[in-house]
Amino acid sequence: MDKKKNGQFFTVGNPFRLRGFREWYEMIPNKTRFLEPFAGANNLVRMMDEVFGEKEWGSFDIEPMDEKVVFRDTLAEMPKGYDAIVTNPPYLARNSATRSGIKFSEENKYDDLYKFCLDRMLREYDFVAAIIPESFITSGQFREKLFSTISLTRNMFADTDCPVCIAMFVDEEVKAKYLGDRDFYLYQLDEMVGKYSEIYGYFKREILDKMSGAGVKFRFNDPEGKIGLWGVDNTKRESIHFGDGEMIPASKIKISSRAITRISGPVDDVEGVAKKANEILMEFRENTKDVFMTAFKGLRADGKYRRRLDYKIANCILNVARQETI
């Protein structure tokens, strides 16, 4: 079996006891017949039944690994007639597939296979819960039926440390009772973080709106840059920070650098701007709960995902810091 080709990972954790998932489950009008269209070894079915009692399941997969899983290409023909879907669809980024010589279906116009799976499921069903990459949260896609997401800061899979979330979808009329068309609730495990609109509102108000016009464009990955950025958390704690660029050897700076970089721009007081940028960054992380920072592979010692600071956001933070230190 070629798991990479099929984008398969096998679930080993049990996220269905979490508050956000239980709230979604209670919204399903009928709770008798459930569908797992990408069942693999049928682990999700067993975990669901542990929490909610035994249900009637339709379990399908293109490569069944359990006697209760029926062979079926569900992307070609999605089974119908069930009350809701609970699944862990396959993930495979288009760029990774291209590098590996794996072809996407001509019907698949998305950048990852799991999004194609979501498209197929949401065409047929209103109530869908899918364990998918956490990066989905800021993708801006499939918002019409999206009710909530739960970031799962725990190792969910036996064979990958891919950061994941549960995305839960509902009927559009049901959603309209609670949320605007593009809004959804955010959880991190059992903690309610808030509505996406509230989190983004802070980002816009405190970062984007404070930039004068478009701001200046800092140059990242410049070996001669005076500002340094350590852009990925270490394995122990939050450690992303700005500092003196000369602390980073110029030889370590590459065009493709993401973890550490040196930055150049119209800054005279490097120490002052770096200090202010760190203050802004700390407030940003606290108030947005890292929602806009990409989860990095592996958990920190405190049980949270390691995060990476996107250079676009770093550029915004430096602009605000520069203005506030002039």
Side-chain angles (χ1 to χ4, degrees):
M1 180 185 64
D2 188 344
K3 289 199 297 181
K4 182 172 183 180
K5 181 177 180 181
N6 293 316
Q8 295 168 305
F9 300 111
F10 300 131
T11 320
V12 296
N14 190 338
F16 301 133
R17 300 182 190 279
L18 294 171
R19 168 188 168 192
F21 186 85
R22 287 176 173 274
E23 290 175 353
W24 171 83
Y25 175 83
E26 291 301 325
M27 298 173 74
I28 304 170
N30 299 306
K31 304 176 181 64
T32 304
R33 305 185 74 236
F34 284 79
L35 171 63
E36 220 301 23
F38 310 101
N42 228 26
N43 289 329
L44 286 190
V45 170
R46 285 186 282 270
M47 289 190 290
M48 273 284 290
D49 287 350
E50 282 178 12
V51 179
F52 299 102
E54 195 166 322
K55 305 293 183 182
E56 180 183 342
W57 283 90
S59 297
F60 303 90
D61 201 283
I62 197 169
E63 290 186 346
M65 298 191 66
D66 184 271
E67 61 182 8
K68 294 183 179 180
V69 180
V70 177
F71 170 80
R72 185 165 181 169
D73 183 352
T74 50
L75 285 177
E77 185 181 3
M78 184 64 57
K80 300 179 182 180
Y82 295 88
D83 300 323
I85 292 177
V86 179
T87 187
N88 167 33
Y91 327 149
L92 183 62
R94 183 180 292 274
N95 55 3
S96 295
T98 300
R99 287 196 298 269
S100 301
I102 300 170
K103 292 184 179 180
F104 270 36
S105 162
E106 291 185 2
E107 295 180 88
N108 184 1
K109 306 302 181 184
Y110 296 99
D111 61 355
D112 197 294
L113 181 58
Y114 84 83
K115 295 179 183 178
F116 187 50
C117 297
L118 283 179
D119 183 288
R120 284 290 189 263
M121 292 187 290
L122 291 170
R123 288 185 187 186
E124 301 293 340
Y125 290 90
D126 292 321
F127 291 87
V128 175
I131 298 176
I132 56 179
E134 201 211 32
S135 57
F136 167 77
I137 293 173
T138 54
S139 71
Q141 294 176 296
F142 302 100
R143 293 281 180 85
E144 293 77 13
K145 294 182 179 180
L146 181 60
F147 185 78
S148 58
T149 62
I150 307 174
S151 292
L152 300 175
T153 54
R154 59 178 61 170
N155 288 324
M156 281 298 301
F157 301 105
D159 45 6
T160 180
D161 54 1
C162 176
V164 295
C165 69
I166 311 177
M168 291 158 287
F169 303 83
V170 299
D171 177 272
E172 289 183 45
E173 291 186 8
V174 173
K175 178 175 177 176
K177 295 178 183 179
Y178 302 91
L179 293 160
D181 179 54
R182 304 287 294 173
D183 209 1
F184 58 98
Y185 293 107
L186 291 156
Y187 290 86
Q188 292 177 348
L189 294 182
D190 260 338
E191 179 188 358
M192 162 68 88
V193 174
K195 296 178 182 179
Y196 182 84
S197 60
E198 296 169 345
I199 305 300
Y200 182 77
Y202 172 87
F203 178 33
K204 184 176 186 300
R205 182 177 65 254
E206 298 299 323
I207 304 295
L208 299 180
D209 289 350
K210 285 187 176 180
M211 293 172 57
S212 59
V216 300
K217 189 173 182 179
F218 286 84
R219 182 185 174 192
F220 289 74
N221 297 336
D222 180 357
E224 303 302 318
K226 300 300 182 183
I227 302 172
L229 171 61
W230 288 257
V232 176
D233 285 333
N234 62 32
T235 57
K236 295 182 179 179
R237 56 183 174 79
E238 291 184 6
S239 61
I240 297 171
H241 66 283
F242 296 88
D244 184 351
E246 293 185 359
M247 296 293 292
I248 303 172
S251 60
K252 287 190 174 183
I253 305 303
K254 311 295 182 185
I255 294 297
S256 58
S257 293
R258 287 294 180 269
I260 57 173
T261 189
R262 292 176 67 164
I263 307 164
S264 58
V267 172
D268 295 322
D269 182 6
V270 171
E271 182 179 355
V273 169
K275 180 180 178 181
K276 188 64 179 179
N278 285 329
E279 293 173 2
I280 295 168
L281 175 62
M282 288 179 62
E283 292 180 5
F284 174 75
R285 298 195 71 167
E286 173 62 28
N287 286 283
T288 64
K289 304 299 182 183
D290 289 346
V291 167
F292 300 106
M293 297 176 68
T294 303
F296 203 71
K297 290 183 178 180
L299 299 178
R300 304 194 308 244
D302 60 8
K304 296 183 179 181
Y305 283 137
R306 298 172 67 196
R307 297 284 173 173
R308 177 171 64 81
L309 181 61
D310 182 277
Y311 285 179
K312 290 182 180 179
I313 297 177
N315 189 81
C316 293
I317 289 173
L318 284 171
N319 267 283
V320 177
R322 175 177 173 271
Q323 290 171 200
E324 295 187 0
T325 53
I326 291 176

Short mmCIF file of all heavy atoms in Angstrom, two decimals, residues 221-225 228 230 244-254 257 260-262:
data_model
loop_
_atom_site.label_atom_id
_atom_site.label_comp_id
_atom_site.label_asym_id
_atom_site.label_seq_id
_atom_site.Cartn_x
_atom_site.Cartn_y
_atom_site.Cartn_z
N ASN A 221 15.64 37.57 4.55
CA ASN A 221 16.71 36.70 4.05
C ASN A 221 17.84 37.50 3.39
O ASN A 221 18.42 37.08 2.39
CB ASN A 221 16.16 35.65 3.07
CG ASN A 221 15.18 34.71 3.75
OD1 ASN A 221 15.22 34.54 4.95
ND2 ASN A 221 14.30 34.10 2.96
N ASP A 222 18.13 38.64 3.99
CA ASP A 222 19.26 39.47 3.56
C ASP A 222 20.44 39.18 4.49
O ASP A 222 20.39 39.50 5.68
CB ASP A 222 18.88 40.95 3.63
CG ASP A 222 20.01 41.86 3.20
OD1 ASP A 222 21.12 41.36 2.90
OD2 ASP A 222 19.80 43.09 3.17
N PRO A 223 21.51 38.56 3.99
CA PRO A 223 22.65 38.20 4.85
C PRO A 223 23.25 39.40 5.58
O PRO A 223 23.92 39.22 6.61
CB PRO A 223 23.66 37.60 3.86
CG PRO A 223 22.83 37.13 2.70
CD PRO A 223 21.71 38.11 2.59
N GLU A 224 23.02 40.61 5.05
CA GLU A 224 23.57 41.81 5.68
C GLU A 224 22.53 42.53 6.54
O GLU A 224 22.81 43.60 7.09
CB GLU A 224 24.08 42.77 4.60
CG GLU A 224 25.13 42.16 3.68
CD GLU A 224 26.34 41.66 4.46
OE1 GLU A 224 26.78 42.37 5.40
OE2 GLU A 224 26.83 40.56 4.15
N GLY A 225 21.33 41.96 6.69
CA GLY A 225 20.28 42.62 7.46
C GLY A 225 20.67 42.86 8.91
O GLY A 225 21.32 42.02 9.55
N GLY A 228 17.44 40.67 13.29
CA GLY A 228 17.35 39.22 13.25
C GLY A 228 15.96 38.75 13.63
O GLY A 228 15.26 39.41 14.42
N TRP A 230 14.20 35.07 14.83
CA TRP A 230 14.16 33.64 15.11
C TRP A 230 12.68 33.25 15.00
O TRP A 230 11.89 33.48 15.92
CB TRP A 230 14.73 33.37 16.50
CG TRP A 230 16.22 33.55 16.57
CD1 TRP A 230 17.16 32.57 16.58
CD2 TRP A 230 16.94 34.79 16.63
NE1 TRP A 230 18.43 33.11 16.63
CE2 TRP A 230 18.32 34.48 16.67
CE3 TRP A 230 16.57 36.15 16.65
CZ2 TRP A 230 19.32 35.46 16.73
CZ3 TRP A 230 17.56 37.12 16.70
CH2 TRP A 230 18.91 36.77 16.75
N ASP A 244 19.15 41.30 17.39
CA ASP A 244 20.29 41.82 16.63
C ASP A 244 20.64 40.84 15.51
O ASP A 244 21.00 39.69 15.77
CB ASP A 244 21.47 42.00 17.58
CG ASP A 244 22.69 42.64 16.90
OD1 ASP A 244 22.67 42.77 15.66
OD2 ASP A 244 23.65 42.97 17.62
N GLY A 245 20.56 41.30 14.27
CA GLY A 245 20.83 40.44 13.13
C GLY A 245 22.25 39.89 13.12
O GLY A 245 22.49 38.81 12.59
N GLU A 246 23.17 40.61 13.72
CA GLU A 246 24.56 40.16 13.70
C GLU A 246 24.79 38.93 14.59
O GLU A 246 25.85 38.32 14.54
CB GLU A 246 25.47 41.31 14.12
CG GLU A 246 25.47 42.44 13.09
CD GLU A 246 26.46 43.54 13.42
OE1 GLU A 246 27.14 43.42 14.48
OE2 GLU A 246 26.56 44.49 12.65
N MET A 247 23.78 38.57 15.38
CA MET A 247 23.86 37.35 16.18
C MET A 247 23.67 36.10 15.31
O MET A 247 23.94 34.98 15.75
CB MET A 247 22.79 37.36 17.27
CG MET A 247 22.98 38.47 18.30
SD MET A 247 24.47 38.25 19.31
CE MET A 247 24.00 36.81 20.24
N ILE A 248 23.19 36.30 14.07
CA ILE A 248 22.97 35.19 13.14
C ILE A 248 24.05 35.25 12.06
O ILE A 248 24.15 36.25 11.34
CB ILE A 248 21.58 35.29 12.47
CG1 ILE A 248 20.49 35.32 13.54
CG2 ILE A 248 21.37 34.13 11.51
CD1 ILE A 248 19.10 35.59 12.99
N PRO A 249 24.89 34.23 11.92
CA PRO A 249 25.93 34.26 10.89
C PRO A 249 25.33 34.44 9.50
O PRO A 249 24.33 33.79 9.15
CB PRO A 249 26.60 32.89 11.03
CG PRO A 249 26.31 32.46 12.43
CD PRO A 249 24.95 33.00 12.74
N ALA A 250 25.93 35.32 8.71
CA ALA A 250 25.44 35.57 7.35
C ALA A 250 25.40 34.30 6.52
O ALA A 250 24.54 34.13 5.65
CB ALA A 250 26.31 36.62 6.67
N SER A 251 26.29 33.35 6.82
CA SER A 251 26.36 32.11 6.05
C SER A 251 25.13 31.23 6.24
O SER A 251 24.87 30.33 5.44
CB SER A 251 27.61 31.32 6.45
OG SER A 251 27.58 31.01 7.84
N LYS A 252 24.38 31.49 7.31
CA LYS A 252 23.18 30.68 7.57
C LYS A 252 21.94 31.18 6.82
O LYS A 252 20.91 30.51 6.82
CB LYS A 252 22.88 30.65 9.07
CG LYS A 252 23.83 29.80 9.88
CD LYS A 252 23.31 29.63 11.30
CE LYS A 252 24.19 28.66 12.09
NZ LYS A 252 23.66 28.42 13.46
N ILE A 253 22.05 32.33 6.21
CA ILE A 253 20.89 32.92 5.55
C ILE A 253 20.80 32.45 4.10
O ILE A 253 21.71 32.67 3.30
CB ILE A 253 20.95 34.47 5.59
CG1 ILE A 253 21.10 34.94 7.04
CG2 ILE A 253 19.71 35.06 4.96
CD1 ILE A 253 20.01 34.46 7.97
N LYS A 254 19.70 31.81 3.79
CA LYS A 254 19.44 31.31 2.45
C LYS A 254 18.14 31.92 1.92
O LYS A 254 17.31 32.39 2.69
CB LYS A 254 19.31 29.78 2.43
CG LYS A 254 20.44 29.04 3.15
CD LYS A 254 21.79 29.24 2.47
CE LYS A 254 22.87 28.45 3.20
NZ LYS A 254 24.22 28.71 2.62
N SER A 257 15.24 30.42 3.59
CA SER A 257 15.24 30.41 5.06
C SER A 257 13.85 30.71 5.60
O SER A 257 13.16 31.61 5.11
CB SER A 257 16.22 31.45 5.60
OG SER A 257 17.55 31.10 5.30
N ILE A 260 15.17 30.98 10.71
CA ILE A 260 15.89 32.18 11.14
C ILE A 260 16.21 33.02 9.91
O ILE A 260 16.37 32.50 8.81
CB ILE A 260 17.21 31.85 11.88
CG1 ILE A 260 18.13 30.99 11.01
CG2 ILE A 260 16.91 31.16 13.21
CD1 ILE A 260 19.50 30.78 11.61
N THR A 261 16.28 34.32 10.11
CA THR A 261 16.58 35.20 8.99
C THR A 261 17.16 36.51 9.49
O THR A 261 17.06 36.85 10.67
CB THR A 261 15.32 35.48 8.15
OG1 THR A 261 15.69 36.17 6.95
CG2 THR A 261 14.32 36.34 8.90
N ARG A 262 17.78 37.23 8.57
CA ARG A 262 18.20 38.60 8.84
C ARG A 262 17.39 39.50 7.92
O ARG A 262 17.10 39.16 6.77
CB ARG A 262 19.70 38.76 8.61
CG ARG A 262 20.52 38.01 9.66
CD ARG A 262 22.01 38.05 9.41
NE ARG A 262 22.56 39.41 9.56
CZ ARG A 262 23.86 39.68 9.69
NH1 ARG A 262 24.74 38.68 9.70
NH2 ARG A 262 24.28 40.91 9.82
#
